[in-house]
Amino acid sequence: VLGAAAARPADPGWRAPGGLVDFLLSATASDDLLPALEAPFPEVVRHVIEKIGTTLDIPQQLKACHATLTHGGVAELAALAEVPFLHSAVTDVVRLAAAAQDPAAVLERAERVAAEAASEDEAASVGETASSGEKASQDEAATREAEEDAPPPTGEELVRRLRELTQGYGKFPLGAVDWELLLAEHKREPFPWLPLKLLASRPDCPDELVLAAYRRSSHLPDTSPLPWRLLTETDWKDGYHHDRLAHLLRRGIREGAYPVDRVLAEVRPASRVLASLPDHMEPLGPAMAGLLEPLGDDFAAWRALYSLLPRFTGTSAELVAAAVEQQAKHRGKSWPRPLEAEYPVKRPEGARAVFLQLFQQATEEVRMALAPHLDRRCVQHLLVFHQPSPALRDLFVSLHGTSVLASVASDWELPAEKIEELLLHDDPKINTSLYVYTALTDEQRRGVLAGRRFGPVPGTEPLPITDELIEEIRVSGRRHWLLPICESGDPRLARILLGKIKLHTLAGQLHLLVKVWERHGAEEVRGLLEETEFPERRSRKHPLPKATHEIVRGALEVADGLSVLRAELARSRGPAAQVEFLRSQCGTVDLATPALERMAEEIGPGLPWAELVREHERDPLPDALLVVLAHEDGCPEELRADCGVASLRLDHDMYTHKSTGPRPSPLDLVRHYPLPRRHRRNEWLDRAARLGMLTPLDVLYEARPAGHAAAYLMYHHDRTRQGPPDAAALAVGRAALELATAHLGEDPEAWALALRLLPDFTGTLPELMSTAAAIVS
């Protein structure tokens, strides 16, 4: 094909949309591109070199250059010198040829020299090997070894290659480097970013080039040197550089390039430097101890340091010296602009964050002396983010009371063990913060609203619920916040619950009222039944159904009403009541899934499997419920086996589903209803066949419309023909032949009429054939 193109390269058909040139320019596979190495289209040859140039040897690349000159001219040939995947020797030949009076002669001479060199290598290789296969293998290995052993560029050649570097430098050869030459070249004309990054990756790279690379991108290779001037020649006051300073300091201190004491004494401003230091890393501790020693445990000096931090432009050592000098001005003063704890808590920023890092670097004695002077926000940040020692934590509690620990319960990421530890304090304020700002479990939320005591000290009275928690619940729409109210017995919370969400089960409704009765008496329950307005509820209809009202009012009229209501609650939680609830709620799959969720929320996890099996044997469960139950853990095989058939009934769009009574089998559905219309190739029939509920013979004799049945039988025939002999396929084939022979015989008109009737015929295939035969006769 390419030979034909070379004979008539100007024919526009080669470059037509979808033609040969289009195809080759979109190809990336070597098998497609290698034959086009000498194509009569310069743009294609360039594309080949760009895509697979690294796999081509020098003779191949020279052939490609010759083809480019022949079909594109000198300009196209010269452009190839800019392609980064040419061998340096080929690039030199291209430049020489483009400048010569006879470019073709230059290329031919280079090709001849390359061919002679290849012949000599081949002859030497043949003399040393015993077979042609071994010779070829050794020749390839020698070529690779020669390329790998080729000396890296130096001098002016290295400068040229660096200035031409436009892509990744991972395979760029870099040997001995004349750094003086490169520095002079960079001074004459600065190198671009990529060559600078390559040079900076060398541990012996001069500081000037490392600094130039950093100024271009601020991301140095991991192997680069770290000149001290990186720290002193950058304006770190600019917040844009803050993360860069942290990266430099953490790597430099870890590798020993930046002594900590020198960083503290020479790099500025102090606020940026101190915020960028790594935490708890040797030898950071001794250096920081020496820095903070002049401050001692005098809060006046620490307060001066905190006040100076935001605007101080000097070094960290100068900052401490200035704080000591100004401590007299801060004597006897409290924390400047104190803040209360915040909810939810956020990490400290700015001067507060730096102060707390320095506080943590101080000795335990200093921390204990400063603790009484800290504001509540500092205490919160220390408790949440800095893990103070047990002694310091106990001091905070003695200073501010146990409720100070509520500020710890202000982080949604608070670990579960911390939550359990805080619950042990049995403090209403702590419980309020835990409920609102942490990820309590459902059981823990029920315990908090019920006033349960989690700690080791027993108590006769339940813990009170704070007004703040009641207000937070009132404005919340989170169901998992509201459902634990059922356990609380608090009439205020019960009104909030009934006004905001629906209790779906009788068990959930009775549980709410039983708890109110137990905690606050029958009159509060009566008040809830007679209530006409509930927060957030627009309808004047009472949120509890009529049946629940009748049960509760009946209990209110008897002497031992609470016992009566407890007995009703026990029955509503029983297996029979759960099955009854599921029957009533599971008309569709979309309703069955949330019904199971609501039952688990209001009654508890787990399903009454034994009762479900007995009930299914007595009166089949709704198909939607069966389909959903089959996906639940622990589903018995008796129910799971019926799920496939139930799913078929649900997917049959011509069948009206029933919630009780006998259910049709797939064969009954095929006999009495048209096949489903929405399944491509009647996937419905295929599923029924896999379940063993239908055979191809059933489809042939019973399914309608005839067109759908015929399509399925053809699909079944094509599928089984590719495998081993199938008895069912053979049987339906014989039966179809017998039907056709009996009704249509050898009458072309009968066959033609049957085919014309097939798309719109609503009956079965036998009915179609008999109808066609009757009309023709």
Side-chain angles (χ1 to χ4, degrees):
V1 173
L2 289 167
R8 294 182 290 113
D11 191 321
W14 302 117
R15 287 185 167 82
L20 178 63
V21 173
D22 263 9
F23 164 72
L24 290 173
L25 289 177
S26 64
T28 57
S30 178
D31 290 345
D32 292 331
L33 294 177
L34 194 57
L37 193 61
E38 299 178 70
F41 312 111
E43 66 271 37
V44 170
V45 175
R46 183 184 179 97
H47 176 71
V48 173
I49 295 175
E50 289 175 343
K51 293 298 180 184
I52 63 171
T54 56
T55 66
L56 303 175
D57 57 23
I58 290 177
Q60 289 175 309
Q61 290 192 354
L62 287 171
K63 288 180 181 179
C65 295
H66 205 150
T68 301
L69 175 65
T70 303
H71 300 286
V74 176
E76 291 285 353
L77 175 65
L80 286 182
E82 305 301 322
V83 178
F85 300 110
L86 284 182
H87 290 276
S88 58
V90 177
T91 302
D92 293 338
V93 171
V94 168
R95 288 182 173 140
L96 185 62
Q101 291 185 347
D102 189 356
V106 175
L107 287 178
E108 288 170 359
R109 185 168 58 253
E111 288 181 81
R112 187 167 56 253
V113 171
E116 290 173 356
S119 298
E120 291 175 2
D121 291 344
E122 181 178 349
S125 178
V126 169
E128 294 174 0
T129 57
S131 68
S132 60
E134 292 177 354
K135 183 274 302 176
S137 174
Q138 291 180 1
D139 186 56
E140 292 176 4
T143 302
R144 288 195 302 271
E145 185 177 348
E147 291 177 354
E148 292 172 359
D149 292 343
T154 59
E156 296 296 336
E157 173 65 12
L158 174 60
V159 173
R160 181 184 68 78
R161 294 279 296 276
L162 286 172
R163 294 204 180 279
E164 294 173 352
L165 186 63
T166 58
Q167 298 189 20
Y169 62 81
K171 295 183 179 179
F172 190 98
L174 198 62
V177 179
D178 185 348
W179 292 113
E180 291 185 4
L181 173 64
L182 293 182
L183 284 169
E185 278 294 321
H186 179 68
K187 186 175 182 181
R188 182 182 65 81
E189 181 184 350
F191 286 113
W193 170 73
L194 197 59
L196 285 172
K197 185 177 181 181
L198 169 65
L199 296 173
S201 66
R202 288 281 296 260
D204 57 341
C205 181
D207 290 359
E208 189 62 40
L209 295 178
V210 175
L211 288 166
Y214 186 79
R215 294 187 191 107
R216 291 292 181 89
S217 74
S218 80
H219 293 289
L220 293 175
D222 292 338
T223 56
S224 71
L226 292 174
W228 181 257
R229 290 164 60 192
L230 281 174
L231 298 180
T232 57
E233 294 189 4
T234 304
D235 182 11
W236 300 117
K237 293 192 297 294
D238 183 357
Y240 176 72
H241 295 292
H242 177 55
D243 290 341
R244 300 177 177 185
L245 176 61
H247 180 77
L248 278 178
L249 286 179
R250 287 165 189 172
R251 182 190 157 197
I253 292 173
R254 182 179 68 248
E255 296 178 3
Y258 299 149
V260 180
D261 52 356
R262 190 178 176 190
V263 170
L264 297 174
E266 298 181 30
V267 186
R268 62 189 66 218
S271 58
R272 295 290 184 195
V273 173
L274 293 171
S276 302
L277 290 174
D279 295 330
H280 310 298
M281 180 184 293
E282 295 294 344
L284 187 60
M288 288 299 297
L291 176 73
L292 299 177
E293 185 177 1
L295 299 175
D297 61 359
D298 187 349
F299 175 67
W302 284 83
R303 188 183 192 279
L305 181 142
Y306 179 71
S307 300
L308 288 170
L309 260 173
R311 292 169 298 278
F312 195 79
T313 59
T315 67
S316 304
E318 292 168 346
L319 170 67
V320 171
V324 172
E325 183 180 343
Q326 296 186 19
Q327 63 182 332
K329 294 165 49 178
H330 296 266
R331 186 81 61 199
K333 294 183 179 180
S334 61
W335 184 268
R337 297 177 299 280
L339 296 176
E340 290 296 324
E342 63 178 347
Y343 298 90
V345 66
K346 295 184 286 292
R347 285 195 169 272
E349 297 177 346
R352 187 180 290 268
V354 175
F355 178 88
L356 291 175
Q357 286 186 345
L358 294 175
F359 179 89
Q360 284 299 100
Q361 295 285 342
T363 64
E364 180 73 357
E365 293 76 12
V366 171
R367 290 196 292 264
M368 297 289 283
L370 297 178
H373 302 280
L374 303 180
D375 69 349
R376 294 295 286 268
R377 184 73 57 87
C378 275
V379 174
Q380 181 185 34
H381 287 154
L382 287 168
L383 289 172
V384 174
F385 299 115
H386 290 281
Q387 301 298 315
S389 65
L392 186 57
R393 178 189 173 103
D394 292 343
L395 178 58
F396 287 141
V397 172
S398 67
L399 290 170
H400 304 285
T402 306
S403 60
V404 74
L405 298 178
S407 64
V408 181
S410 55
D411 181 12
W412 199 257
E413 302 298 326
L414 194 67
E417 59 272 16
K418 288 292 183 184
I419 291 176
E420 293 173 1
E421 179 184 327
L422 290 171
L423 284 170
L424 295 177
H425 290 283
D426 287 335
D427 184 280
K429 290 191 67 174
I430 294 177
N431 287 355
T432 296
S433 294
L434 287 170
Y435 203 97
V436 177
Y437 300 110
T438 69
L440 290 178
T441 65
D442 291 339
E443 180 60 29
Q444 288 169 338
R445 291 189 186 280
R446 286 192 290 269
V448 169
L449 293 190
R452 183 185 312 155
R453 295 181 180 272
F454 294 87
V457 180
T460 56
E461 293 295 325
L463 291 173
I465 301 172
T466 64
D467 293 340
E468 179 188 354
L469 179 53
I470 291 176
E471 179 61 19
E472 290 286 350
I473 293 174
R474 188 190 67 77
V475 299
S476 172
R478 298 172 178 149
R479 187 173 177 86
H480 74 285
W481 275 31
L482 296 164
L483 279 174
I485 290 174
C486 291
E487 194 72 30
S488 72
D490 190 308
R492 299 169 298 173
L493 290 174
R495 283 179 171 80
I496 293 173
L497 170 65
L498 293 174
K500 295 182 78 71
I501 64 171
K502 179 181 179 180
L503 292 174
H504 295 263
T505 65
L506 177 61
Q509 297 158 9
L510 294 181
H511 185 207
L512 174 72
L513 299 176
V514 165
K515 287 298 179 181
V516 172
W517 196 329
E518 289 174 347
R519 295 279 295 274
H520 293 277
E523 290 308 309
E524 287 290 352
V525 174
R526 194 185 306 276
L528 285 174
L529 295 182
E530 295 174 354
E531 186 69 70
T532 58
E533 293 186 7
F534 291 87
E536 308 290 334
R537 188 174 179 85
R538 295 178 182 177
S539 172
R540 296 188 64 83
K541 183 179 179 182
H542 200 282
L544 294 175
K546 182 180 178 181
T548 305
H549 273 259
E550 292 176 352
I551 293 172
V552 179
R553 289 190 185 279
L556 288 170
E557 299 304 320
V558 299
D560 195 11
L562 182 56
S563 297
V564 172
L565 208 56
R566 284 172 176 160
E568 290 290 341
L569 174 59
R571 277 192 291 272
S572 67
R573 285 174 167 170
Q578 292 186 50
V579 174
E580 182 182 354
F581 171 77
L582 292 176
R583 275 194 182 278
S584 66
Q585 299 291 318
C586 297
T588 66
V589 172
D590 290 341
L591 293 175
T593 300
L596 288 178
E597 294 173 355
R598 298 297 177 247
M599 200 169 76
E601 289 174 344
E602 298 176 22
I603 299 178
L607 289 167
W609 291 117
E611 184 67 22
L612 285 167
V613 171
R614 284 194 296 271
E615 184 67 12
H616 183 57
E617 292 172 351
R618 185 188 66 80
D619 183 8
L621 297 172
D623 289 338
L625 178 58
L626 284 173
V627 169
V628 173
L629 288 177
H631 297 287
E632 295 291 316
D633 294 336
C635 179
E637 285 304 317
E638 302 95 302
L639 297 180
R640 198 184 300 276
D642 289 343
C643 173
V645 180
S647 178
L648 284 172
R649 283 192 291 266
L650 287 176
D651 286 347
H652 200 300
D653 53 6
M654 306 300 290
Y655 166 66
T656 303
H657 305 284
K658 300 177 181 179
S659 58
T660 60
R663 312 287 162 76
S665 67
L667 182 56
D668 293 331
L669 293 173
V670 167
R671 284 173 175 164
H672 298 103
Y673 299 94
L675 292 173
R677 294 168 294 187
R678 65 171 179 260
H679 291 282
R680 186 167 175 257
R681 280 189 175 180
N682 266 294
E683 180 260 348
W684 189 91
L685 287 172
D686 216 19
R687 287 164 53 198
R690 287 199 302 270
L691 289 171
M693 298 294 176
L694 280 180
T695 66
L697 281 174
D698 295 328
V699 177
L700 175 66
Y701 288 115
E702 307 286 355
R704 55 189 173 90
H708 283 76
Y712 171 76
L713 291 173
M714 283 300 300
Y715 158 69
H716 182 266
H717 169 73
D718 291 341
R719 189 178 61 182
T720 55
R721 186 175 57 180
Q722 299 172 5
D726 183 88
L730 294 174
V732 77
R734 286 193 298 267
L737 180 60
E738 291 171 0
L739 280 172
T741 302
H743 293 292
L744 306 178
E746 298 180 0
D747 187 345
E749 288 190 34
W751 280 93
L753 180 59
L755 288 174
R756 286 199 298 272
L757 292 174
L758 182 63
D760 301 314
F761 194 78
T762 59
T764 64
L765 279 169
E767 291 170 348
L768 169 71
M769 295 181 190
S770 62
T771 301
I775 294 174
V776 169
S777 63

